[in-house]
Amino acid sequence: MSAISSNQPLSKLPLFSLNTVQMRTFHTTWLMFFVCFFGWFGLAPLMPTIREDLGLTKSQVGNIIIASVSGTILARLIIGKLCDTWGPRKTAIRLLIAGSLPVFLVGLSKDYTSFLLFRLAISVIGASFVITQYHTSMMFAANIKGTANAVTGGWGNLGGGITNMVMPLIFTAIIGFGYTKAEAWRYAMIVPGVMMLIAAFLYYRFTKDTPAGNFDEIGYNKNKTRTDWSILADWRIWALTMAYAMCFGMEITFDNVASLHFTDTFHLSQSSAGFWAGIFGFMNIFARALGGIVSDKVGARFGMKGKGTLLALVLLLEGCGLLLFAQAGSLVFAIISMLSFALFLKMANGATYGIVPFINEKNVGLVSGIVGAGGNLGGMLFGFLFKSESISYVQAFTYIGCIVIAVSVIVMITRFVKKPVTEKEITPQMAFAE
């Protein structure tokens, strides 16, 4: 690659290459999000044990589920702005180091209140998603941006599936060394904490803010325009926010409740429940990327309108799949229906962020943060359904399925038309993002 082209966003995605700063950043940023997701939901597959150890009620478990995604809402808005000002590299390193602290310390919890507060603090690391999407948008050209965003987001989300599979194994291994169950779940969380510190070093060592260098090196902040808060009047942003609440919001909700649902409904062991919950997350290895790839293909042929229609369609199919899952009377049918709604849910994740970078190219970080926060807002609101003593998990899944279908209609009637940008509006960020 020539010196000139190496300073520009890539128009292709050579997945197995580490030869350029763009691809080194690509692989480091999805790995960073993967590690954060691992730490974020490391406690979820251990909740059957934690529930017994701390004597938690269903309502308290529901509050913990809500707390586990609530802190991320505000954090994603802040992180989006910090990416625009500090740059994604500094933002990621600082978030990883600060976020590792509650992951390490959650084992000190002795009761419901302390555990709830640690779970809330841990939720802040979910804002790492905004960094991943922002950083990838800086490294790739418009024709491949949706695909690149979907792959980094999907492979990062894969951490939610792997942690459901791996943390019960770590837990079991610690018990094998002679520790009690109450001690094992606490010591198990040291593993994701260490992983986060390693990821911080990798981000420091192998990434740059843009293909041309870090913000400090290229004088980005000197030319930075003020954030245009008028973008909040753009209905398209709120339609995408609702869409992401339905797909990613449901994803993190399911990551939280799947092990408990399979344990309580189908009487599986903690390890078996964690395995099947992990299969749901493991589909991120291809499904979110598929949504981004299809979004780019549809966009190339039908423009932004086509991307919007695709998003509405996969949301509709997600909602229908959720309704089937809610009615599953056997484990086999539950697994089949789970895989069906998981496919379309994760494609919807990718399709959403196939649109986000094009909504307002002056404020990619802020738009990404707002839409990303919508995902966690959805997860928080869904948590109230699983908290209720009068609503069963099956009823909660049914209600969510209906809500997802309703939002798909809203997305369908929203006009996702790319607005032209005048020459005066071009910023340094856009120069590298195009």
Side-chain angles (χ1 to χ4, degrees):
M1 180 175 287
S2 67
I4 295 177
S5 61
S6 66
N7 290 335
Q8 300 298 320
L10 295 182
S11 58
K12 294 182 179 181
L13 182 59
L15 279 179
F16 302 105
S17 170
L18 291 171
N19 295 331
T20 64
V21 67
Q22 294 95 326
M23 291 308 301
R24 287 192 293 273
T25 298
F26 171 87
H27 286 294
T28 304
T29 199
W30 76 254
L31 180 62
M32 178 272 297
F33 185 39
F34 175 98
V35 168
C36 285
F37 222 112
F38 196 97
W40 187 11
F41 286 96
L43 292 164
L46 306 181
M47 279 304 295
T49 295
I50 297 170
R51 179 175 60 180
E52 180 181 353
D53 179 35
L54 300 182
L56 303 176
T57 66
K58 182 184 179 185
S59 178
Q60 289 174 330
V61 170
N63 287 335
I64 290 167
I65 291 172
I66 293 168
S68 72
V69 298
S70 297
T72 315
I73 299 171
L74 180 59
R76 287 191 173 191
L77 295 173
I78 295 172
I79 289 296
K81 177 61 177 174
L82 291 178
C83 283
D84 281 332
T85 52
W86 288 352
R89 181 170 174 267
K90 285 183 179 179
T91 304
I93 293 168
R94 293 169 182 177
L95 179 63
L96 284 163
I97 294 173
S100 69
L101 296 178
V103 174
F104 279 123
L105 299 177
V106 67
L108 299 177
S109 302
K110 298 299 182 182
D111 54 25
Y112 161 67
T113 302
S114 58
F115 185 79
L116 179 72
L117 293 175
F118 274 116
R119 202 68 185 94
L120 179 64
I122 290 173
S123 72
V124 171
I125 63 179
S128 54
F129 167 75
V130 177
I131 301 171
T132 293
Q133 298 298 284
Y134 183 100
H135 216 167
T136 305
S137 294
M138 299 295 275
M139 293 294 171
F140 292 90
N143 68 302
I144 197 70
K145 202 174 292 186
T147 298
N149 276 340
V151 174
T152 52
W155 288 1
N157 283 1
L158 187 61
I162 298 299
T163 195
N164 268 306
M165 294 178 172
V166 173
M167 287 300 284
L169 299 180
I170 296 174
F171 170 84
T172 302
I174 294 173
I175 290 178
F177 283 106
Y179 293 96
T180 66
K181 289 184 177 181
E183 293 170 326
W185 76 259
R186 302 169 194 274
Y187 291 138
M189 288 302 290
I190 295 175
V191 175
V194 172
M195 291 168 63
M196 290 175 68
L197 294 181
I198 294 173
F201 171 76
L202 294 176
Y203 225 93
Y204 170 80
R205 179 68 177 81
F206 294 110
T207 70
K208 295 285 187 181
D209 288 324
T210 75
N214 294 320
F215 282 5
D216 294 342
E217 298 166 351
I218 63 176
Y220 175 84
N221 288 327
K222 294 179 182 178
N223 302 315
K224 183 78 175 84
T225 58
R226 293 178 63 85
T227 300
D228 182 8
W229 292 102
S230 67
I231 67 171
L232 298 179
D234 189 339
W235 168 251
R236 298 174 302 163
I237 293 175
W238 300 113
L240 289 173
T241 300
M242 285 191 290
Y244 206 56
M246 296 302 104
C247 50
F248 186 73
M250 184 58 226
E251 176 165 5
I252 57 179
T253 298
F254 197 80
D255 283 334
N256 262 323
V257 305
S259 288
L260 288 171
H261 177 64
F262 285 127
T263 299
D264 294 345
T265 304
F266 300 107
H267 310 294
L268 301 183
S269 67
Q270 181 171 276
S271 295
S272 296
F275 173 80
W276 290 115
I279 292 296
F280 170 83
F282 196 77
M283 290 184 69
N284 274 304
I285 198 169
F286 72 92
R288 181 164 183 152
L290 180 62
I293 293 169
V294 176
S295 180
D296 279 343
K297 298 293 185 183
V298 170
R301 184 167 182 180
F302 302 105
M304 290 284 282
K305 181 179 179 181
K307 287 184 174 228
T309 301
L310 171 68
L311 176 57
L313 179 61
V314 289
L315 283 172
L316 174 63
L317 294 172
E318 175 200 340
C320 293
L322 270 167
L323 293 179
L324 290 175
F325 177 78
Q327 301 304 314
S330 66
L331 178 62
V332 172
F333 188 67
I335 297 302
I336 294 173
S337 55
M338 178 190 75
L339 295 179
S340 68
F341 88 75
L343 172 64
F344 298 117
L345 176 154
K346 294 169 195 299
M347 285 186 68
N349 285 337
T352 300
Y353 273 83
I355 298 174
V356 165
F358 304 103
I359 292 295
N360 188 297
E361 293 167 299
K362 292 189 297 177
N363 297 285
V364 175
L366 183 59
V367 175
S368 184
I370 292 170
V371 176
N376 283 84
L377 179 61
M380 183 189 76
L381 295 176
F382 293 154
F384 284 100
L385 292 175
F386 291 96
K387 170 189 174 180
S388 174
E389 296 286 356
S390 61
I391 299 176
S392 68
Y393 277 17
V394 169
Q395 290 174 312
F397 285 125
T398 301
Y399 296 154
I400 294 171
C402 293
I403 295 170
V404 172
I405 292 173
V407 171
S408 73
V409 175
I410 294 174
V411 173
M412 179 66 75
I413 62 178
T414 299
R415 296 184 69 247
F416 290 103
V417 179
K418 185 175 180 181
K419 296 179 180 179
V421 181
T422 65
E423 199 169 314
K424 291 182 179 179
E425 293 177 315
I426 295 177
T427 68
Q429 177 181 326
M430 291 170 62
F432 292 112
E434 283 297 323

